[in-house]
Amino acid sequence: MAINEISETSGTAGDGDTRAPLGLKALLGGTLTLLSLAQAADIGSRLGYSYYTEQFLAVVLGLSLGLVFLGKDAAGRRRAGRVQRILDPVLGVAGLALSFYVAWFYPSLVGRAMMLPWDALAAGSLLFLLVLEALRRCVGWVLVIVVLAICAYGLIGHLVPGVLQTREVAPARMAVYLAFDPNGLLGLTLNVAATVVIAFVFFGQILLYSGGAGFFNDIAMATMGRRRGGAAKISIVASGLFGSISGVVVSNIVATGVVTIRLMVNSGFRRTTAAAVEAVASTGGQIAPPVMGAVAFLMADILQKPYSEIVVAAIVPALLYYVSLFAQADLLAAKQDIRTIEGEEIPPVSQVMARGWVFLIPFAAIVAALFWFNQRAETSALWGALAAMAIGLTCGYGRLRMSLRNLWDCMVETGGAITDIVMISAAAGFIIGVLNVTGLGFAVTYALVDLGQGNLFVLLLISAAVCLVLGMGMPTVGVYLLLAVLVAPSLIESGVEPIAAHLFIFYLGMMSMVTPPVGIGAFFAASIAKAPPMATAIESMRFGWTAYIIPFLFVFSPALLLIGDPLDSLLAVATAVLGVYAISAAFIGWLHGPAGPLLRLAIAAAGIALLLPPGIGGEATLWVNGAGFLALALLWHAGRNVSRRRTAEAPGR
């Protein structure tokens, strides 16, 4: 049975018969998406309307607040209880009314902001409280506490002696600044979420309803199903493809893991292993070009660099991540004698491509819009969505085909899916505002650099720990936004290449999805596989080990980001691929046959020698690379000879 046929019977979001919920929540979600798509397409300007971007953002915020308060109770669950049924509509209406008030009177409010008028002060203060409560319902207490701590420090920081002293800002001044200044709530982070991110989430929904997820799964099945450990490789390919555009690790796990985890378990993988592979593959989709869960476009905006530079820089780290994951899945299948998937379950590649090649067109449209027509990221996403829509309405995939009613379903589901990211972006706006108005941003950067005592490696270790802690449980865009504000500036100040600094914090922040004690991605995959959550998270760390190590290497050697001399980059990539494979083999304990403790240490040592990029130690590192290559070649040759001898001596030969 093809995977798309399984999906059709499972009632997932990709089912063409799915209907969006009726009522106010559906209206709010659909309106939110529709307005954001209109903004992305610049409809207002084309029709001759002129307004502040902040007015549009205030409307988006109000609709998102309404969705959150109508959808979740004070504990973050679905509403329950009489008090809650009364409280939620009140908070939802208050959020809508305040946001629309700000949108309508924004020109007047911003013009009078320096005088701290009572209406601006009241609106700003109430919006701050509503956003924090909505944020708590979406992602829990961690980020709320971070925002409150930073705001509190901004108010008392002028009393703190030393490097972390800030300028004095009155509470009323801060409330108005955070609410109405373009560097605060209605700033860059919320703007990107309300245009770029929503456009790509909508694109993903259209692709899902038109059958694109079924095509990705089937092409993964067709190309990898007959290979050793094919079920795991199907998971890696399908999750990597879909995860790049989904922007939410947990959503990716749901879309692909409900099928691929079962395939892995049925083919012989342990439940913990199946869940870990799916979790790591889904997390990797967020760091894989060209979309990177929409972070690539946000990173380009923040760094003021061409999108193409971000994509090129991210290619090699993503390649090494998946080389390691593939190698471990393959070697583990060999070690545990995992069988391939039954032949009748695997569709021919030609059949899959004949039915689904059209799903390559939306991605081609996005690439063409970005690189050939120099369109904005959000406009490019609309090109892709229109292409996917045309495919879904005309041919679909298998038995899946869109209807016109599904377009509204996509808008409603996009609006519902984006609320967490909108709230996180609003919180990031508060943090950016405090850092700017108090000078705390400079103070934190200076303090981190000083804490590293001039030692870049120590600073990187501190930053990595901060990234893993702050990234816990947040969506991709939220992870990056928070860390780009709090951590990346200190790395850049220490001389790190800006792209390397931002990729460093992004990679380490994303790995919080599988790192204990929270590891929400690993835990979610474990629940599908019925595996122990903590054991799954620990195994996920092993499968995703490159994301913890490679960022340190490309900070010291930007050649791994294809920055600098092409020959240096070619050499660094070649040795890194071999090193990643060797260390993965050492983790699994298999190289043409079982590897004991001493042999595993030898393989790991060769891998470490190969993994060191030439830029770290100059010519000396080249000699270390050469020694590692020679050692790995000898171990490989010896292992192959032992394997052949065992095969020849096996009974029946």
Side-chain angles (χ1 to χ4, degrees), residues 287 314 317-318 502-512 547 551 554:
I287 62 176
H502 279 254
L503 287 176
F504 178 91
I505 57 106
F506 178 46
Y507 275 48
L508 270 301
M510 280 308 305
M511 290 312 292
S512 66
F554 64 57

Side-chain angles (χ1 to χ4, degrees), residues 317-398:
L319 170 68
L320 297 177
Y321 183 94
Y322 278 102
V323 164
S324 170
L325 187 52
F326 257 96
Q328 291 181 81
D330 179 71
L331 295 172
L332 185 62
K335 182 178 181 178
Q336 298 180 353
D337 194 24
I338 303 295
R339 61 185 181 273
T340 60
I341 297 174
E342 296 297 330
E344 61 268 17
E345 294 187 28
I346 304 173
V349 175
S350 58
Q351 176 184 322
V352 175
M353 290 304 298
R355 291 193 301 165
W357 68 269
V358 289
F359 286 99
L360 300 178
I361 295 176
F363 295 94
I366 291 175
V367 172
L370 285 170
F371 293 103
W372 293 344
F373 296 96
N374 296 316
Q375 296 295 313
R376 296 175 301 171
E378 58 268 33
T379 306
S380 302
L382 292 183
W383 285 33
L386 288 173
M389 190 185 306
I391 293 168
L393 291 172
T394 56
C395 56
Y397 183 73

Side-chain angles (χ1 to χ4, degrees), residues 350-516:
S350 58
Q351 176 184 322
V352 175
M353 290 304 298
R355 291 193 301 165
W357 68 269
V358 289
F359 286 99
L360 300 178
I361 295 176
F363 295 94
I366 291 175
V367 172
L370 285 170
F371 293 103
W372 293 344
F373 296 96
N374 296 316
Q375 296 295 313
R376 296 175 301 171
E378 58 268 33
T379 306
S380 302
L382 292 183
W383 285 33
L386 288 173
M389 190 185 306
I391 293 168
L393 291 172
T394 56
C395 56
Y397 183 73
R399 295 198 300 270
L400 291 179
R401 183 175 298 181
M402 288 185 66
S403 67
L404 289 175
R405 184 179 297 181
N406 290 145
L407 295 180
W408 177 249
D409 297 345
C410 289
M411 290 185 183
V412 171
E413 293 183 17
T414 298
I418 200 65
T419 52
D420 288 11
I421 294 176
V422 170
M423 292 305 123
I424 292 170
S425 300
F430 288 145
I431 294 172
I432 293 172
V434 173
L435 297 181
N436 284 336
V437 74
T438 65
L440 181 58
F442 175 80
V444 170
T445 299
Y446 185 83
L448 281 174
V449 173
D450 184 63
L451 191 61
Q453 294 295 323
N455 188 316
L456 180 57
F457 182 69
V458 173
L459 176 60
L460 291 174
L461 286 176
I462 296 170
S463 300
V466 173
C467 291
L468 289 171
V469 171
L470 294 182
M472 291 188 299
M474 290 201 296
T476 305
V477 173
V479 172
Y480 173 69
L481 284 175
L482 184 62
L483 298 175
V485 171
L486 293 177
V487 180
S490 63
L491 299 179
I492 296 173
E493 184 70 21
S494 297
V496 177
E497 162 68 36
I499 292 181
H502 279 254
L503 287 176
F504 178 91
I505 57 106
F506 178 46
Y507 275 48
L508 270 301
M510 280 308 305
M511 290 312 292
S512 66
M513 296 299 297
V514 298
T515 305

Side-chain angles (χ1 to χ4, degrees), residues 27 43 53 71 77 96 116 154 190 193 214 222-223 237 292 302 428 473 511 522 574 601 623:
L27 179 62
I43 298 297
T53 301
R77 302 181 298 269
L96 281 167
L116 304 179
L190 187 57
T223 54
V237 172
M292 298 165 61
I302 292 176
M511 290 312 292
L601 286 175
W623 287 102

Side-chain angles (χ1 to χ4, degrees), residues 562-581:
L562 304 181
I563 297 174
D565 184 82
L567 186 59
D568 289 343
S569 294
L570 180 62
L571 182 60
V573 172
T575 56
V577 168
L578 291 174
V580 163
Y581 184 87

